[in-house]
Amino acid sequence: MSEQYEYVPHRLLRRRVRDIASGAEGVLMAVINENVSDTGIERWMELAYIRGASGREFTTAVTNVEPAPDQPKTAVGRRDQRSA
């Protein structure tokens, strides 16, 4: 069996981010490629670990992470608001 996790670099590490699924904000502490399967078949997923204001960390899919409203957005991953 292979490793259970692997750290992944991310442009927003140690910056304030927002989880678009829950609306919660915090600091992106890590992005980890994890085997989230509880069966014998591996299922890998990139999870973002975000530390909220309370100091507790929560996870979300890395695709749900965006810069917090007080942070400047970069061109990567920005949605074109005119097409919405």
Side-chain angles (χ1 to χ4, degrees), residues 55-72:
R56 290 186 178 230
E57 289 186 10
F58 62 94
T59 60
T60 189
V62 76
T63 55
N64 288 341
V65 174
E66 67 180 14
D70 61 335
Q71 299 291 315

Side-chain angles (χ1 to χ4, degrees), residues 23-40:
E25 293 184 9
V27 176
L28 181 62
M29 302 306 292
V31 174
I32 301 177
N33 190 25
E34 290 189 43
N35 179 5
V36 296
S37 174
D38 58 354
T39 66

Side-chain angles (χ1 to χ4, degrees), residues 3 12 21-22 24 31 43 46 50 54 56 61 65 67 74-75 77 83:
E3 291 292 323
L12 295 175
S22 68
V31 174
R43 181 170 174 256
E46 286 188 356
I50 300 172
S54 68
R56 290 186 178 230
V65 174
T74 62
S83 65

